[in-house]
Amino acid sequence: MTETNSAAGHAARAEYGAVIEARDLSLTFTTNDGPVHALKDVTLTISKGEFVSFIGPSGCGKTTFLRTIADLEQPTAGTLTVNGMTPHQARMARAYGYVFQAAGLYPWRTIGGNVRLPLEIMGFSRAEQKERCARVLELVELAGFEKKFPWQLSGGMQQRASIARALAFDADILLMDEPFGALDEIVRDRLNEELLKLWARTQKTIGFVTHSIPEAVYLSTKIVVMSPRPGRITDVIDSTLPKERPLDIRDSPEFIDIAHRVREGLRAGYDEAGA
């Protein structure tokens, strides 16, 4: 069986099961100053349609784990599957879109040109590129901005354009590495609301890295709390909040209780690392 056929078969078997599954995953970087243990014995299952946030201190392996899912880093131990495939097979099958911390838009291309770029690379027809570009720009509330250049948009609008680009080829998984970290609180709140609406409309599986406890609690169906290096999971919290979440839900006792548990998980991770 060819790798392509094998990947398709794995994907079919994973349709109703785990979308992302890590078992005893570890990753050690080799440096001139010795080994750096970025991840250690990470075991986690993410199911179809979940919104999973990863939270922890800087250097705890949140982004590294996201990058292993995306086949941008290679684990040194354990197993990892994405849609029932290896991360490499999933990347070749274009199973995910990736949103980086910075919008990463090419300044010499219009917003439409940036969004269409992966579609051009993938060989979509011009008619299909136009249709998909219009659809995803409308999804992120940027309809009418296709001919603008990145420098003509605010930071929040640029990040929405970056999300549109990741959605353009309609992958089932969206990986987001702290996409709103550089934005002010007002803009961040609005984009959090918009992201929840986008998730509800598209039903995608989302992996989201953040340093913000309120952001993690507000957005997620599941919160993964990670410890300082070597990155380990100290707690996995299933949210009991309703899917419909106005911003003022953050003042509710239920929200505060979940945030308290996240904070306790972070503190426990520090205590274990210092032990």
Side-chain angles (χ1 to χ4, degrees), residues 64-91:
T64 299
F65 183 61
L66 213 67
R67 287 174 64 85
T68 60
I69 295 170
D71 194 37
L72 299 175
E73 303 289 354
Q74 309 305 317
T76 49
T79 61
L80 178 63
T81 58
V82 182
N83 278 349
M85 301 175 275
T86 67
H88 177 72
Q89 288 172 328
R91 178 166 62 84

Side-chain angles (χ1 to χ4, degrees), residues 110-112 137 141-149 153 157:
T110 62
I111 296 304
L137 285 177
E141 299 185 2
L142 284 178
F145 288 88
E146 182 177 354
K147 295 183 180 179
K148 299 290 186 183
F149 286 90
L153 273 60
M157 294 171 80

Side-chain angles (χ1 to χ4, degrees), residues 17-80:
V19 173
I20 297 167
E21 189 159 19
R23 289 286 175 266
D24 300 319
L25 192 77
S26 296
L27 193 155
T28 300
F29 292 109
T30 302
T31 72
N32 291 333
D33 297 323
V36 174
H37 303 289
L39 295 170
K40 183 177 180 182
D41 300 332
V42 171
T43 294
L44 181 69
T45 298
I46 298 175
S47 300
K48 186 177 179 64
E50 284 194 298
F51 194 126
V52 180
S53 285
F54 299 89
I55 189 167
S58 295
C60 74
K62 305 182 298 297
T63 293
T64 299
F65 183 61
L66 213 67
R67 287 174 64 85
T68 60
I69 295 170
D71 194 37
L72 299 175
E73 303 289 354
Q74 309 305 317
T76 49
T79 61
L80 178 63

Side-chain angles (χ1 to χ4, degrees), residues 103-105 111 142 149-163:
L105 303 175
I111 296 304
L142 284 178
F149 286 90
W151 58 269
Q152 295 175 297
L153 273 60
S154 68
M157 294 171 80
Q158 288 183 32
Q159 200 60 290
R160 277 190 275 156
S162 177
I163 293 170

Side-chain angles (χ1 to χ4, degrees), residues 112-187:
N114 273 282
V115 171
R116 289 193 301 270
L117 181 59
L119 303 177
E120 293 174 13
I121 293 170
M122 293 161 68
F124 283 86
S125 69
R126 288 191 177 184
E128 180 106 11
Q129 290 177 34
K130 183 178 180 180
E131 187 277 326
R132 284 176 177 254
C133 181
R135 175 161 48 85
V136 294
L137 285 177
E138 185 172 355
L139 268 177
V140 300
E141 299 185 2
L142 284 178
F145 288 88
E146 182 177 354
K147 295 183 180 179
K148 299 290 186 183
F149 286 90
W151 58 269
Q152 295 175 297
L153 273 60
S154 68
M157 294 171 80
Q158 288 183 32
Q159 200 60 290
R160 277 190 275 156
S162 177
I163 293 170
R165 181 176 57 192
L167 293 171
F169 51 93
D170 204 25
D172 291 334
I173 302 169
L174 187 59
L175 304 175
M176 309 183 76
D177 184 9
E178 204 170 357
F180 308 141
L183 303 176
D184 66 67
E185 189 171 354
I186 295 172
V187 173

